[in-house]
Amino acid sequence: MIINLTYYHVAKDVPENSPDIAVVIDVLRATTTISWALKNGADSIQVFADLDLLKESAINWQAEKRLMLGERGGKKIEGFDLGNSPLSVTKKVVNGKRLFMSTTNGTKSLQKVQNANHLFAMGLPNRKAVAEKINPIVCAKRLGGPATNLVGLPNAGTITLVASRPMGLKVGPVATLARNPYNKNPATN
């Protein structure tokens, strides 16, 4: 199995595909906000590219048990409860609630790979946990399984190190580049 890393600056460039494993990394906002919201007790988070669909879905949920998070160009969307800041998803605000979320890039990228067998939203707070979850999946797929696609470059090195080193997996050139800053022994690349 080869771990492939693909890097996109904007969600519109992410191809719609169904990899075995997809990791979407939007470190500064979306995936970090998702990570903190779940850590702070959010019941679940549903992501949307389309704002109208988000509103239609959210309205069917109990008002006191839902929050709408919306951001475009770094700014909170009028009429939404929150924008896209990890600082806003405190335990007091999100605990026990279902979040309906749409962002400029992160949630749109998640939707592009929503049919992956295993889909992860990775930010700085949960990068090690995501890598550790991927490791057994990669182990199970090692013999003849489909390739792994990673969407995003920041912190992808953590994944390639944790998932590939114990099993001697091959790592593509971009994945090698991503993991080098994290590798204390470049001879093992």
Side-chain angles (χ1 to χ4, degrees), residues 2-16:
I2 296 174
I3 296 177
N4 293 311
L5 174 70
T6 52
Y7 176 66
Y8 303 97
H9 286 284
V10 291
K12 70 177 182 60
D13 294 340
V14 177
E16 290 189 28

Side-chain angles (χ1 to χ4, degrees), residues 41-46 57-69 81 93-100:
D43 175 64
S44 60
I45 302 169
Q46 189 171 351
S57 298
I59 202 73
N60 294 320
W61 206 260
Q62 297 174 359
E64 65 278 358
K65 292 286 187 180
R66 72 167 186 250
L67 288 172
M68 294 193 313
L69 285 73
D81 302 301
V93 174
V94 303
N95 191 37
K97 295 183 180 175
R98 182 177 182 116
L99 279 54
F100 297 83

